[in-house]
Amino acid sequence: EVDQEREPRTGYVQLFFPLDFNPDDLLAMAIEVGQSYPLCSGIGGYGASFNANFPRNSFQHIHGWCRRYLGMDVQYPEHTAWHVRQGLPSVGWLTLVGKELATSLELDAAALQGRQWTHPVAVMDLTHATLLRAGERPELGDSNGLSFPGAQAEVAQVLEPYLIPEPPELPGKFKEEGDTQAWMHRFSLPEGWA
């Protein structure tokens, strides 16, 4: 919990589930959150977790995973919480955009709903947020297996102008190679992440 009157940082909640967790349950949870609670944003799908005691070591490995699995999300909420009022921290299988954030970013939620998507993208108008679902199920997009998360890439390309403009650097190899921006824009500017 964070007092918005005292600092620009937001509070955050992270939930991790086993790989065999039913994505329908995650979708139901995201809908419930968007219907019930004011929020800035939310990301759901495959994601990397790390040991908070060893972030640099953890992110050395996460960097490699992100190179291979384009659909994987990675967050460092302690650092990003200071910036989420400026934009989205990333885009996932599920992306919640809070109403207040959408207004401040001049993101037209009605246009997202009316858009003719190439991939199976669903856009839901909820009480406190707009929820975008990129495909029926989350995809890791294993580049070694020539698998590409097309629906997530399309959503990421559409939402790219609304990402945090200058995100804090992720630790480890992301920071060492200056790759945080490249990772965030991997679907709209793939040459930067290739």
Side-chain angles (χ1 to χ4, degrees):
E1 185 175 333
V2 177
D3 183 355
Q4 296 178 27
E5 302 294 322
R6 300 183 69 194
E7 60 187 29
R9 184 170 65 104
T10 63
Y12 67 88
V13 174
Q14 273 191 303
L15 303 172
F16 293 98
F17 302 102
L19 286 174
D20 61 356
F21 187 77
N22 186 342
D24 292 334
D25 293 338
L26 182 60
L27 174 60
M29 190 180 309
I31 292 170
E32 182 64 27
V33 167
Q35 289 285 60
S36 304
Y37 304 102
L39 70 147
C40 283
S41 60
I43 309 297
Y46 289 112
S49 65
F50 63 94
N51 184 329
N53 293 321
F54 304 100
R56 184 185 176 281
N57 293 347
S58 298
F59 277 86
Q60 295 296 95
H61 296 287
I62 291 170
H63 185 274
W65 297 342
C66 288
R67 287 270 188 210
R68 178 174 176 180
Y69 302 109
L70 295 178
M72 181 186 301
D73 187 47
V74 57
Q75 297 293 323
Y76 199 165
E78 276 298 318
H79 293 178
T80 309
W82 294 91
H83 303 273
V84 294
R85 294 189 197 286
Q86 301 166 11
L88 297 169
S90 66
V91 174
W93 171 57
L94 302 176
T95 305
L96 282 158
V97 183
K99 299 282 182 162
E100 189 176 313
L101 181 63
T103 300
S104 72
L105 296 175
E106 299 180 1
L107 188 151
D108 186 350
L112 293 175
Q113 285 186 297
R115 180 182 173 85
Q116 294 296 314
W117 297 90
T118 304
H119 293 86
V121 174
V123 181
M124 297 173 230
D125 183 30
L126 306 174
T127 305
H128 297 286
T130 299
L131 173 63
L132 292 92
R133 185 187 73 207
E136 291 296 318
R137 297 277 185 258
E139 294 181 67
L140 267 176
D142 186 349
S143 58
N144 286 2
L146 301 179
S147 172
F148 184 73
Q152 184 176 342
E154 184 177 7
V155 171
Q157 290 164 0
V158 170
L159 294 180
E160 191 266 342
Y162 308 104
L163 293 173
I164 296 171
E166 294 187 31
E169 287 288 342
L170 294 170
K173 207 165 184 180
F174 286 95
K175 185 172 187 172
E176 292 164 13
E177 298 188 7
D179 272 350
T180 301
Q181 283 266 12
W183 174 79
M184 284 185 67
H185 298 278
R186 66 196 180 281
F187 292 119
S188 54
L189 299 168
E191 63 278 4
W193 187 241

